[in-house]
Amino acid sequence: MTQQTAPLPRFIIIGAGSRGRKYSYCLRALGTGLIAAVADPHTYKRETLGRKYIWRDAAPAEGQSFNDWRDFLDYEVDRRRRAAAGEPNVPPGVDGAFICVLDEMHRDVVVGLAPLGLHIMCEKPLGCSLDEIMDMYKALQPAQASSVFSIGHVLRYSPHNIALRKLLLEDRAIGDIHSVVHTEPVGWWHFSHSYVRGNWRNERTTGPSLLTKSCHDIDLLLWLLCSPLKPGSGDPHLPDTVSSTGGLQFFKKSRKPPAAGDATNCMRCPLRDDGCKYSAKNIYLGPRLRGLESGNTNWPVSIVVSDIEDYPTPSAQRDALKKALSEDYDESTPAADVAARNWFGRCVFEADNNVCDDQFVTMTWPETAQGPAKQATFHMVAPTTKICQRHSHFYGSDGEIFADSAHIRVENFNTGKTVTYTPQIEDGGHGGGDLGLTRQFVTAVAKVKNHGWEPSKAQNEFIGCTLEEAIRSHAVVFAAEEARLGKKTIDWTSWWDEVVARE
């Protein structure tokens, strides 16, 4: 008798940009889920992802390609109606969705899709404001009984951080944790690309950089210092206070080199190409970083010209990139038009950015039944040589741990011994975190779909993060911003009860 193979979970990718492509790659690499559909208004991005992962050399079939998530929603509601009515040849639907649209769209997509009861993985951050996030929380709560939810906090799922958590909490390699100093070095030119010229430069549209860049660092610290050892069991060790300092220190007009004069665009700047390391010509066209002359047509070049690979010759690619970098605005350009798009050729000292490029966050914990007193400091810093290669120092009662992005060094006070661990990196995306998150989410969906698991069990066993935990780590970000702007210290319990719990 032939044993039947359980059907693979089916997913729609909503948003075919860099994160949508990354999760699609991970899905295919794992082979445990099927990419069944894509939704994106950008024809090139949608069709490129679709041809690579869904319809290949054929034309897209019914239910595979959508211009917008709302088109998918309308289609899926009608598809379910047709299937319920017993109509023939109704295509199968999807089990879940990877939501990878722009941050400012997350709220509408999640709230809009929530009534479908799909399993959802939403890229971080959940939303751009606490109000948006609370809207999503309310919309998702009823679906918790029938579906799993994951947030793109990929740092939880890298082999490195899984090993680190085991050493700290299960093995108690340094005893009780006394304090932590954790740093995210963003990278000098990476910050200028994404947070001065790019999508996340203006907190009025996408939120502060602590949210858009570092919410998963705050989540990582809470996962290590706050969450119960086993997901879903026991109470969290909640913080006592949250405080923060920082601001926009470098990428502003007062720091502009005098020799640049009145130039607002790198392509027309009087400085020589080697006169400013932030020159768009150096970053996107040159050979030293990841510019076109280095042979790179992926990020960040593809962010400037999305269809760069379709140009037939290197010369044509260079001309297209130079044209895009030459685009600029002036005083006559409506502010809404400036904010509506990116300006990658813009002088970094003349941009409309307003997010912090250097910030500290400090959290303290009281001594309770859930754990001893401790504190943690997080530092997000822009001008660094390392790009997102985080490093942390944990100080404990029996030793200390230093962890960078490759190694974990444990020094034990009692034995005097030092042991260094080098966890295997499965994939380049966030140290394997992208692949790990995809694996855990798809496995959770498969357990519900094919093995009769309760969604709450799959959530705890494989996602390892409850919806409330995802909300809490975002809430800490907004508490830290309130503390920074108000130059004060937030009492966490009172703030949560007043600002979040009352919602």
Side-chain angles (χ1 to χ4, degrees), residues 272-339:
R272 290 167 51 89
D273 290 356
D274 59 358
C276 177
K277 58 182 172 290
Y278 294 103
S279 169
K281 289 182 281 187
N282 291 332
I283 293 174
Y284 303 109
L285 287 164
R288 189 170 71 87
L289 301 172
R290 297 191 64 185
L292 190 63
E293 287 184 20
S294 72
N296 177 50
T297 55
N298 295 315
W299 184 93
V301 174
S302 61
I303 303 300
V304 182
V305 179
S306 61
D307 58 348
I308 190 74
E309 292 185 351
D310 278 6
Y311 286 86
T313 65
S315 177
Q317 290 178 339
R318 184 174 179 82
D319 288 345
L321 193 55
K322 289 174 69 174
K323 180 181 178 182
L325 294 175
S326 296
E327 295 172 355
D328 201 4
Y329 58 86
D330 57 28
E331 295 81 1
S332 66
T333 310
D337 292 347
V338 175

Side-chain angles (χ1 to χ4, degrees), residues 89-217:
N89 303 318
V90 178
V94 297
D95 301 292
F98 283 80
I99 298 175
C100 308
V101 295
L102 295 174
D103 299 348
E104 54 267 34
M105 296 172 61
H106 287 178
R107 183 265 176 205
D108 289 349
V109 180
V110 169
V111 171
L113 296 186
L116 293 179
L118 296 174
H119 306 288
I120 288 177
M121 200 304 293
C122 181
E123 181 53 27
K124 67 88 183 171
L126 271 179
C128 297
S129 69
L130 189 57
D131 285 343
E132 287 185 2
I133 290 168
M134 294 311 298
D135 286 346
M136 298 161 79
Y137 185 39
K138 294 173 188 175
L140 289 168
Q141 277 185 309
Q144 286 186 284
S146 59
S147 59
V148 298
F149 172 79
S150 181
I151 175 70
H153 285 150
V154 293
L155 298 184
R156 288 176 175 245
Y157 302 97
S158 73
H160 177 280
N161 290 332
I162 291 171
L164 176 61
R165 191 174 197 263
K166 181 178 185 299
L167 285 167
L168 288 170
L169 302 187
E170 293 184 36
D171 302 344
R172 291 180 53 81
I174 60 171
D176 292 334
I177 299 171
H178 177 70
S179 61
V180 182
V181 178
H182 173 68
T183 300
E184 180 180 15
V186 184
W188 63 272
W189 67 266
H190 177 208
F191 193 93
S192 72
H193 168 74
S194 296
Y195 301 93
V196 180
R197 293 168 166 144
N199 285 336
W200 300 281
R201 68 186 188 270
N202 193 321
E203 66 179 31
R204 288 187 291 271
T205 55
T206 60
S209 53
L210 185 65
L211 176 73
T212 57
K213 184 70 185 83
S214 302
C215 67
H216 51 14
D217 289 275

Side-chain angles (χ1 to χ4, degrees), residues 13 19-29 35 49 53:
I13 305 293
R19 295 307 295 166
R21 292 194 300 272
K22 184 62 181 182
Y23 289 122
S24 297
Y25 160 80
C26 291
L27 271 164
R28 187 171 71 175
I35 306 170
L49 189 147
Y53 296 105

Side-chain angles (χ1 to χ4, degrees), residues 199-480:
N199 285 336
W200 300 281
R201 68 186 188 270
N202 193 321
E203 66 179 31
R204 288 187 291 271
T205 55
T206 60
S209 53
L210 185 65
L211 176 73
T212 57
K213 184 70 185 83
S214 302
C215 67
H216 51 14
D217 289 275
I218 298 297
D219 179 73
L220 175 68
L221 288 171
L222 292 179
W223 183 50
L224 297 175
L225 303 175
C226 175
S227 299
L229 178 60
K230 183 175 175 56
S233 65
D235 296 323
H237 188 193
L238 295 174
D240 185 24
T241 65
V242 179
S243 59
S244 180
T245 59
L248 175 54
Q249 296 184 182
F250 181 72
F251 294 100
K252 53 187 179 181
K253 193 164 186 176
S254 62
R255 305 297 292 270
K256 184 179 181 180
D262 295 331
T264 60
N265 184 277
C266 294
M267 306 303 286
R268 295 180 288 278
C269 181
L271 280 174
R272 290 167 51 89
D273 290 356
D274 59 358
C276 177
K277 58 182 172 290
Y278 294 103
S279 169
K281 289 182 281 187
N282 291 332
I283 293 174
Y284 303 109
L285 287 164
R288 189 170 71 87
L289 301 172
R290 297 191 64 185
L292 190 63
E293 287 184 20
S294 72
N296 177 50
T297 55
N298 295 315
W299 184 93
V301 174
S302 61
I303 303 300
V304 182
V305 179
S306 61
D307 58 348
I308 190 74
E309 292 185 351
D310 278 6
Y311 286 86
T313 65
S315 177
Q317 290 178 339
R318 184 174 179 82
D319 288 345
L321 193 55
K322 289 174 69 174
K323 180 181 178 182
L325 294 175
S326 296
E327 295 172 355
D328 201 4
Y329 58 86
D330 57 28
E331 295 81 1
S332 66
T333 310
D337 292 347
V338 175
R341 51 160 295 187
N342 298 322
W343 306 85
F344 289 108
R346 185 78 177 182
C347 171
V348 296
F349 305 105
E350 294 276 2
D352 64 335
N353 59 302
N354 58 19
V355 298
C356 291
D357 53 26
D358 200 292
Q359 185 167 1
F360 288 87
V361 177
T362 298
M363 294 177 282
T364 67
W365 280 261
E367 182 173 354
T368 69
Q370 283 71 47
K374 56 200 171 191
Q375 58 184 334
T377 296
F378 167 65
H379 184 203
M380 184 276 291
V381 54
T384 62
T385 54
K386 295 184 182 296
I387 296 178
C388 302
Q389 298 177 47
R390 297 162 172 85
H391 51 88
S392 312
H393 216 139
F394 295 81
Y395 301 91
S397 57
D398 294 330
E400 58 186 89
I401 288 178
F402 176 78
D404 58 20
S405 293
H407 310 287
I408 304 171
R409 187 180 72 238
V410 182
E411 299 181 45
N412 187 283
F413 298 156
N414 299 316
T415 65
K417 293 182 178 180
T418 299
V419 180
T420 300
Y421 301 87
T422 306
Q424 181 181 359
I425 297 177
E426 289 184 290
D427 178 73
H430 293 95
D434 294 344
L435 195 69
L437 181 149
T438 306
R439 177 190 293 115
Q440 297 305 101
F441 176 62
V442 173
T443 302
V445 174
K447 289 296 183 181
V448 175
K449 175 183 175 72
N450 296 320
H451 302 281
W453 279 38
E454 290 294 323
S456 59
K457 180 181 178 181
Q459 183 86 32
N460 290 329
E461 291 290 329
F462 294 102
I463 307 300
C465 175
T466 65
L467 177 59
E468 183 170 318
E469 280 185 277
I471 300 301
R472 183 186 301 121
S473 61
H474 283 75
V476 167
V477 169
F478 290 105

Side-chain angles (χ1 to χ4, degrees), residues 76-88:
E76 179 60 15
V77 170
D78 188 61
R79 189 202 65 79
R80 293 183 182 189
R81 179 196 61 77
R82 291 160 56 200
E87 292 187 17

